[in-house]
Amino acid sequence: MPERKPVTLHRLQDMHKSGEKIAMLTCYDAAFASVLDEAGVDILLVGDSLGTVLQAEATTTPVRLDAMEYHTRCVARGNKTAWLLGDLPFGSYHASPEQAWHSSLALMQAGAHMVKLECGAWTAPTVRFLTERGVPVCAHLGFTPQTVSALGGYKVQGRGEAAAQVKAQAQAMVEAGAQMLLFEMIPADLGREITAWSPVPVIGIGAGVGCSGQVLVLHDMLDITPGRRPRFVKNFMQGASSVQDAVRRYVAEVKAGTFPDESLHAF
C-alpha cells in the first residue's frame, strides 16, 4: 500500500466537492493517534469530550485550556498524516476575539492544524478575527455540548421552524471565514440540505449520512464508554478482531456511505 500523503485543508475541500466522504474520530493520546492515522482516519479531533471520557466529568464545561493543549501535543506526536483539529474549551474564547486568538495560539503551537469552537450568531466576529489572522476554524453548530444546560439537556436542534435559524448560522459562519462546519444532532434532511449548499466540508455527528463526513467519539465506537451511548453511535468493536480492525471498519463504512444508516438516525 502506498504511503499516505499528509491530509491538508485543500485535500479536505476537494473531498467535499467531489463527494468523497471524510472520516473523523476523536483522539486524546499518541498511541491512539498512531493507530487512527495508520487506519486511514482523515481528521483526528482532540475534543473537549476528554472531559467526560478521560476525566469522568458530567459535562465538557469543566475542561481547561491547559488540558486541551496537553492532549493536543500528545496526539500531534503520534500523528503523521491526518489533519489535526483541536477544541477550544468553554470559557477560552467567550470574552473577546483576542481571548480566542490567544487560546487558538496555544493549541496551534501544540500541533493543531485547525481549531473548533461552538458557535452561534455571536461568534461571527470571533471566527472572522481568527481566520483573518491565519487560524483555520471549524464552526460547531446544532447541539453544542458546552451549553447543554442552556439548551435544556441533550436535545435535537433544527427541527421544524428552527431549521431556518440553523441554516442562517451556517451561512454566517461561512461568510465569517470558517473553513469547516460540524453539525451535531440535527435532522438528517437538514444535514443533507446544508451540505449540498455549503462551499466548505460539513462533518456530522448524529446529523445523517448526507454530510461530507462523519465523526464519533473514539471510546463510544469502541464500546468502552461507561453507561448509555447516544443512539447515533455504532459499536465497531462488535465482530472486529482488534482495535485497529474496528477503526478500519469505521473508515470503510464512512467512505462507502453506509454509516450512519437510518436505524442509527431517527431524528
Side-chain angles (χ1 to χ4, degrees):
M1 180 181 296
E3 185 175 351
R4 183 167 79 154
K5 295 180 179 179
V7 178
T8 64
L9 187 55
H10 289 302
R11 171 63 181 144
L12 295 170
Q13 292 168 340
D14 287 343
M15 293 170 72
H16 166 63
K17 292 175 183 177
S18 68
E20 180 182 349
K21 297 292 187 179
I22 299 167
M24 181 194 298
L25 283 172
T26 64
C27 189
Y28 315 105
D29 62 46
F32 270 114
S34 178
V35 170
L36 271 55
D37 183 37
E38 291 180 2
V41 176
D42 299 302
I43 304 175
L44 307 185
L45 169 61
V46 186
D48 61 357
S49 51
L50 65 86
T52 55
V53 172
L54 302 184
Q55 299 175 341
E57 299 284 3
T59 70
T60 62
T61 304
V63 176
R64 296 169 56 92
L65 180 62
D66 56 358
M68 294 305 306
E69 182 180 0
Y70 169 80
H71 286 279
T72 298
R73 195 175 302 279
C74 291
V75 172
R77 287 172 177 165
N79 177 47
K80 292 182 179 179
T81 64
W83 184 252
L84 183 50
L85 175 58
D87 260 344
L88 293 182
F90 186 73
S92 70
Y93 58 94
H94 297 68
S96 67
E98 288 80 8
Q99 183 199 28
W101 160 253
H102 287 293
S103 299
S104 299
L105 180 63
L107 296 191
M108 298 286 283
Q109 289 183 333
H113 301 132
M114 172 181 262
V115 299
K116 179 170 75 66
L117 56 153
E118 296 185 4
C119 291
W122 66 275
T123 55
T126 297
V127 171
R128 184 174 293 108
F129 189 92
L130 293 176
T131 56
E132 287 177 349
R133 287 157 179 78
V135 177
V137 171
C138 173
H140 185 148
L141 297 164
F143 175 75
T144 47
Q146 291 176 3
T147 54
V148 61
S149 297
L151 293 173
Y154 292 86
K155 297 181 179 180
V156 178
Q157 305 296 307
R159 280 190 175 131
E161 295 180 356
Q165 180 181 3
V166 173
K167 289 187 282 187
Q169 289 175 345
Q171 184 169 354
M173 293 306 104
V174 170
E175 290 175 353
Q179 291 105 325
M180 186 180 295
L181 303 174
L182 188 150
F183 285 93
E184 183 167 355
M185 289 174 59
I186 64 171
D189 56 351
L190 180 57
R192 185 177 295 105
E193 180 182 354
I194 292 174
T195 303
W197 157 83
S198 177
V200 302
V202 177
I203 308 299
I205 177 167
V209 73
C211 298
S212 310
Q214 302 293 326
V215 61
L216 285 177
V217 172
L218 176 65
H219 292 57
D220 287 350
M221 57 84 69
L222 294 178
D223 197 36
I224 55 176
T225 302
R228 184 178 179 183
R229 299 189 309 272
R231 64 184 180 185
F232 53 76
V233 172
K234 178 177 177 178
N235 175 12
F236 282 88
M237 277 302 296
Q238 187 173 3
S241 60
S242 64
V243 169
Q244 290 88 339
D245 184 36
V247 175
R248 291 190 188 100
R249 290 174 62 220
Y250 168 76
V251 172
E253 290 194 22
V254 170
K255 297 289 186 181
T258 57
F259 175 82
D261 60 28
E262 291 301 322
S263 66
L264 296 175
H265 194 287
F267 301 149

